[in-house]
Amino acid sequence: MTVDIKSGSALDGDELAHATRKTVSVVESAGATGVGPSTFEPTGVVSPTKASPWVRLGRLSMAGARISVGAALGLWLGDTVLLGLTSSGATWAQWAQGVGAAAFVILSTALVLGFLLGPILVPVVRSVVDETAAGWRALRRGDVGARHTFVARALAAAVLLALWGEGTYHIVLAIVYGVARAQAMAAGMTLADMVLAAALMVAWPWTVHCGRALVGAVSRVYGLRRLVERAWRIPLLLALPLLGAAAVVVVRERSQLAALPWHEAGPILALGLGAALAIALPSGPRWLTRAAASSLAIVFTFGCIEAFGLRPESSAAQHIAFDRALSGRVGYAAWTFAFDFDGDGQIGVLGGGDCAPFDPTRYTGAPDLPDNGIDEDCDGVDASPRRLVGRPPLRMLPFLPPGNPTVILVTVDALAAPELSTLGSTRSVMPRVDALARRSMLFTHCFSQGPSTRLSFPSMFTSRWDSQQTFTYASRLPYSFAPEERTLQDAFLEAGYSTVAVIPNEYFDRGMWSSITKGFQRVDTSALRSISGHSNAEEVTDAALRILSEERDRPLYMWVHYFDAHPPYGVPHGVDPPPIRDDRTLYEGELAFIDRQFGRLVDAVDQRPEATFPTYLVFTADHATSFHPVPQSRHFRYGYDIYTSTLHVPLIFHGPGLRAGRDDDVVSTMDIAPTLANLLRLNDAGRFEGTSLAWELFKGSDDSDRVIFHEYYLPENAFRGGGDPLEFVSARTGQLDLILNRKRGTYELYAWPVDYYEQHDLYENEARSPEVRRLQSMLGAFVQTYRREPTSRAPHASIANAWSSLFLPKSRAIQP
């Protein structure tokens, strides 16, 4: 019998052989000279000479830098391959400069962070790797204790992860619901995460101990012993329900998941491969190490040259480098954090737009005070006074509409203008809408003010920019605007109208979004109880027809909204499924179903005697849906940018006395409210920011030189510490679309009529042209006039309401 001297316990044959091999390994390692090339040295290695603390610190820093640079290089190579497959209209020089700039920012960031964090992270990773390797060897030997420990840790991890997920959900819910201010919210979440993490770290050894005791008890029960005879049975039993739940989520939310940027998974996988190669590289041949170092130096030098060659006009290269490349986004964020000295969100290098790095009031897109001798917006000149006053309403109407006519505003969620054959579609997806357009006034170039439902309807109903409005803090999005904001339906209500809204989804109900139905005396929610689920256009039309047929002593203004074309898409009840089920065919099927039901409403309007029941019908959409030819160049189909394909919607006016035809001037959905107010002589006709289209409805085109503006305004930024809510603005003419990214200080320019999906950025070549300078001046005046410090109304935050919200029920996900 052999006895272990250290523990005094008896060793069997297998354990004796293992101990002998380990002793021999330690002795051989002790006789070696120096430290081996591997980063993760075996814990049993004894170095003949003990290095000083500073030398060890340097080695750890260098190891950390090598691993992080390898990971960054892998991420960048993945991006380069992906970007090479989707150049999206950029020239070769722009593409090369973009990928080079991305390489520089990510490699420099990785080098610095790896060097600084190496002394902390490398020992931790080394310990985890060594412990994992030792445990794996013990499992392969069939060690009973190791097997039981592995199963116990799996049980402990499952329990603590479940507690982590549930606890994090309730903590975040409590803070978001009960705390309004961004600073308090950030501090609360940070403190809560620290407390929860500390609690779980303390609980880990106790949970493992309990798991070990449970596994030991199970191993002594005859009927349950087989569960722990193999180390992987319990983890697999725990993983199978999780995989099943994940599969259910994937199937149920496949349309939503399909819209996510899954193409970025490739570079992320390449990141892990790069880190693994960096770890293994020192153990390989010396020539391979030298070749890798030389290649890295070439890439870094090339990237440095390209990055510092960027100018503010290099918008196409910057878009590739810092928007489309994941590595570039990460690196540029780190550079902005390090070199944004004045906290305005922009830097003065890498083509950034900050012309005064230490003055927070001067950056590209800043409000430029006219004639004060200071160039606040960094466009090279001080702004001159400029008024952005639209065309006045038409005072003398050539046709007096009948007294108190019925007005119906019909909106379709996410309807893109090119889906209509009257606006360019080669297929007749919505024939009833096209038929209405042919005998009405069709505005071919109408654009929504904002790119999503919550960013478009407020401006449509108030005809005021989002940046002008006061928003009220809520526990969840969307935020409602303040009660004093006047809407179109308020004007109708004051004019003696009965105002009714027919809504298709609880997202529009007063309990979710109170201001969207402000001014409506009645909100019909009957379509929410539809047995057909998401596709409820039939129930929406039924409600509208029922309201239209009711007898009343007051004229009617009714808003009808169809939601079926909003993702996730499906096959409507009673509709044959398409032969190929993808997002495009399902979307077109939803539109065809809406068209069929909307046709019933049009028939009902046509059957009303015009002399007795004069009716004006307005048809439009809140925003479009972009089926971009290069999906990888856009993150989602809508909601996150203000490009043409995201904003272009149909606009149709139909009614007695109105011209029938087409108008090709650029107009906005903000023009609907002033047009109806002008047409019906409401008191608010001159209070709106939009332009009345009565000229076009009665006299023909009269505003061919018009410039319209768009905002991407996120009111939650004012509450949650996200920076300036006004992130993007654009100025659009009949030929050009100039977009200003106020977060990074860059412009983009597109000839949108011939480049509908805006893949060819012209700003680098046209930045100094008179027309572009004019549009830049107008954008500066727009920001100066309408952008203001965010105003909001937030509830008082208290510990009581934060604590009480811990017990709030989990809310269902509502589509934005």
Side-chain angles (χ1 to χ4, degrees):
M1 180 180 67
T2 305
V3 179
D4 186 350
I5 299 176
K6 183 177 180 179
S7 62
S9 60
L11 300 178
D12 58 21
D14 290 342
E15 291 175 337
L16 176 61
H18 173 66
T20 303
R21 288 195 300 270
K22 182 175 181 181
T23 303
V24 172
S25 175
V26 170
V27 172
E28 290 176 350
S29 300
T33 58
V35 180
S38 176
T39 301
F40 302 106
E41 304 163 1
T43 54
V45 170
V46 178
S47 177
T49 59
K50 186 176 181 180
S52 68
W54 292 107
V55 172
R56 293 200 301 271
L57 185 67
R59 289 176 178 172
L60 292 175
S61 295
M62 294 301 296
R66 184 178 72 250
I67 297 170
S68 61
V69 167
L73 187 62
L75 180 65
W76 174 77
L77 287 173
D79 278 330
T80 302
V81 172
L82 187 64
L83 292 172
L85 298 175
T86 57
S87 60
S88 187
T91 65
W92 166 251
Q94 291 169 338
W95 182 88
Q97 188 170 32
V99 297
F104 174 74
V105 294
I106 190 61
L107 291 176
S108 58
T109 298
L111 181 64
V112 174
L113 290 180
F115 189 85
L116 294 177
L117 299 179
I120 300 174
L121 297 181
V122 170
V124 173
V125 175
R126 175 188 297 169
S127 176
V128 171
V129 170
D130 288 344
E131 186 176 354
T132 302
W136 176 250
R137 288 194 298 267
L139 288 175
R140 293 192 64 183
R141 292 198 315 271
D143 188 286
V144 175
R147 183 169 66 243
H148 287 187
T149 300
F150 177 77
V151 175
R153 287 179 175 177
L155 290 171
V159 171
L160 293 182
L161 284 175
L163 292 175
W164 174 275
E166 187 70 12
T168 301
Y169 172 82
H170 283 290
I171 289 173
V172 171
L173 191 68
I175 293 174
V176 171
Y177 272 48
V179 181
R181 298 301 175 188
Q183 295 84 353
M185 187 181 296
M189 287 186 178
T190 302
L191 180 61
D193 284 343
M194 292 175 62
V195 172
L196 185 59
L200 294 180
M201 289 177 65
V202 172
W204 170 254
W206 293 95
T207 310
V208 172
H209 178 73
C210 293
R212 186 70 172 80
L214 177 63
V215 171
V218 168
S219 66
R220 291 189 291 271
V221 178
Y222 177 76
L224 300 177
R225 186 180 304 166
R226 294 178 62 84
L227 284 175
V228 294
E229 286 182 353
R230 294 289 184 269
W232 296 100
R233 285 179 178 172
I234 295 295
L236 284 176
L237 289 176
L238 294 173
L240 287 176
L242 180 61
L243 292 175
V248 171
V249 170
V250 169
V251 171
R252 292 185 58 182
E253 305 296 336
R254 58 186 180 275
S255 297
Q256 296 281 49
L257 293 173
L260 297 177
W262 292 107
H263 58 277
E264 292 187 350
I268 294 176
L269 293 176
L271 180 149
L273 180 61
L277 291 176
I279 293 173
L281 192 62
S283 301
R286 187 178 297 273
W287 67 267
L288 185 60
T289 303
R290 290 177 177 176
S294 300
S295 300
L296 178 63
I298 292 173
V299 170
F300 187 82
T301 303
F302 164 73
C304 182
I305 294 172
E306 296 294 349
F308 284 97
L310 289 171
R311 300 171 297 155
E313 294 83 7
S314 307
S315 53
Q318 290 191 60
H319 178 65
I320 292 173
F322 308 137
D323 287 334
R324 295 184 56 202
L326 177 60
S327 56
R329 293 204 300 271
V330 174
Y332 192 81
W335 271 71
T336 302
F337 176 81
F339 296 103
D340 180 21
F341 303 113
D342 51 12
D344 57 17
Q346 297 180 14
I347 57 179
V349 295
L350 303 178
D354 195 352
C355 59
F358 299 97
D359 186 349
T361 65
R362 299 182 61 195
Y363 55 92
T364 297
D368 195 356
L369 300 177
D371 289 340
N372 66 343
I374 302 175
D375 176 24
E376 284 95 348
D377 62 354
C378 297
D379 64 352
V381 295
D382 184 24
S384 300
R386 178 189 287 270
R387 297 185 63 194
L388 300 173
V389 179
R391 183 183 58 188
L394 187 60
R395 297 298 180 186
M396 299 297 294
L397 299 178
F399 171 82
L400 294 180
N404 300 326
T406 297
V407 179
I408 305 175
L409 172 62
V410 177
T411 54
V412 177
D413 211 294
L415 170 58
E419 298 298 328
L420 301 183
S421 62
T422 49
L423 292 176
S425 175
T426 57
R427 299 179 57 195
S428 183
V429 178
M430 305 187 78
R432 295 304 305 272
V433 176
D434 285 319
L436 176 68
R438 293 187 186 97
R439 56 191 180 95
S440 309
M441 175 53 68
L442 171 65
F443 292 90
T444 61
H445 294 151
C446 178
F447 295 89
S448 171
Q449 192 287 129
S452 67
T453 301
R454 70 182 182 97
L455 303 180
S456 61
F457 271 134
S459 59
M460 182 189 298
F461 286 162
T462 64
S463 192
R464 281 163 53 84
W465 307 104
D466 289 348
S467 59
Q468 291 179 281
Q469 300 179 36
T470 299
F471 288 88
T472 301
Y473 175 81
S475 59
R476 54 191 170 187
L477 296 173
Y479 291 165
S480 290
F481 47 77
E484 62 266 22
E485 297 286 351
R486 286 187 57 79
T487 64
L488 174 63
Q489 43 269 26
D490 286 326
F492 274 110
L493 195 62
E494 291 181 1
Y497 272 72
S498 175
T499 56
V500 183
V502 179
I503 61 173
N505 189 281
E506 59 186 350
Y507 184 78
F508 304 94
D509 203 0
R510 284 172 173 162
M512 171 66 75
W513 191 5
S514 60
S515 67
I516 196 62
T517 52
K518 178 182 180 294
F520 287 106
Q521 296 171 307
R522 173 181 166 190
V523 178
D524 189 294
T525 60
S526 59
L528 273 60
R529 299 184 291 274
S530 167
I531 61 173
S532 58
H534 175 69
S535 300
N536 58 359
E538 182 176 1
E539 289 78 7
V540 170
T541 302
D542 289 342
L545 294 176
R546 186 170 57 251
I547 294 167
L548 195 62
S549 64
E550 293 173 351
E551 294 186 3
R552 54 175 46 85
D553 55 1
R554 305 174 66 184
L556 172 67
Y557 168 65
M558 179 170 60
W559 170 46
V560 181
H561 186 56
Y562 292 99
F563 196 68
D564 307 58
H566 188 288
Y569 310 121
V571 179
H573 179 69
V575 176
D576 294 332
I580 301 176
R581 297 186 59 165
D582 56 17
D583 273 2
R584 184 59 185 262
T585 57
L586 291 175
Y587 173 71
E588 291 177 350
E590 299 278 20
L591 292 180
F593 183 66
I594 293 174
D595 181 75
R596 188 184 313 166
Q597 303 306 321
F598 172 69
R600 296 165 52 211
L601 180 59
V602 173
D603 291 340
V605 171
D606 289 340
Q607 292 168 9
R608 291 163 62 93
E610 185 173 300
T612 309
F613 300 104
T615 304
Y616 287 98
L617 178 62
V618 182
F619 180 91
T620 189
D622 56 346
H623 57 83
T625 298
S626 177
F627 290 94
H628 199 278
V630 186
Q632 296 85 349
S633 65
R634 299 288 187 268
H635 294 303
F636 298 97
R637 300 202 188 281
Y638 69 88
Y640 295 89
D641 59 63
I642 51 176
Y643 293 114
T644 293
S645 60
T646 305
L647 303 179
H648 189 199
V649 297
L651 177 60
I652 301 171
F653 277 83
H654 176 81
L658 304 185
R659 296 172 58 248
R662 299 166 63 94
D663 186 276
D664 296 328
D665 294 342
V666 290
V667 299
S668 169
T669 53
M670 287 178 63
D671 299 336
I672 296 173
T675 302
L676 291 176
N678 190 186
L679 183 65
L680 302 178
R681 301 182 296 278
L682 304 180
N683 292 332
D684 287 50
R687 299 182 183 179
F688 297 119
E689 295 292 346
T691 297
S692 171
L693 303 177
W695 291 88
E696 287 78 5
L697 294 177
F698 291 114
K699 294 186 174 182
S701 178
D702 188 62
D703 206 7
S704 58
D705 294 330
R706 184 182 177 188
V707 178
I708 62 173
F709 300 92
H710 305 287
E711 290 184 339
Y712 183 70
Y713 183 90
L714 301 179
E716 62 269 25
N717 284 2
F719 297 102
R720 301 181 178 178
D724 195 324
L726 185 57
E727 296 189 358
F728 297 88
V729 291
S730 70
R732 182 189 302 274
T733 69
Q735 300 298 324
L736 296 175
D737 181 22
L738 180 67
I739 302 173
L740 168 61
N741 182 339
R742 298 184 68 245
K743 293 180 64 177
R744 206 174 61 231
T746 57
Y747 288 92
E748 298 174 57
L749 178 70
Y750 301 98
W752 66 268
V754 295
D755 183 17
Y756 186 80
Y757 290 101
E758 296 179 329
Q759 302 181 73
H760 303 277
D761 187 357
L762 307 175
Y763 185 72
E764 188 169 359
N765 296 325
E766 302 292 335
R768 302 304 174 187
S769 67
E771 178 64 9
V772 173
R773 297 293 290 179
R774 182 179 78 91
L775 291 179
Q776 281 183 301
S777 176
M778 296 187 73
L779 270 182
F782 177 83
V783 172
Q784 168 60 27
T785 303
Y786 296 110
R787 185 264 185 193
R788 60 178 180 174
E789 290 301 321
T791 58
S792 56
R793 295 183 176 179
H796 175 67
S798 63
I799 297 177
N801 62 27
W803 177 257
S804 65
S805 64
L806 282 172
F807 304 101
L808 290 171
K810 296 182 179 180
S811 59
R812 288 184 294 167
I814 304 297
Q815 301 300 324

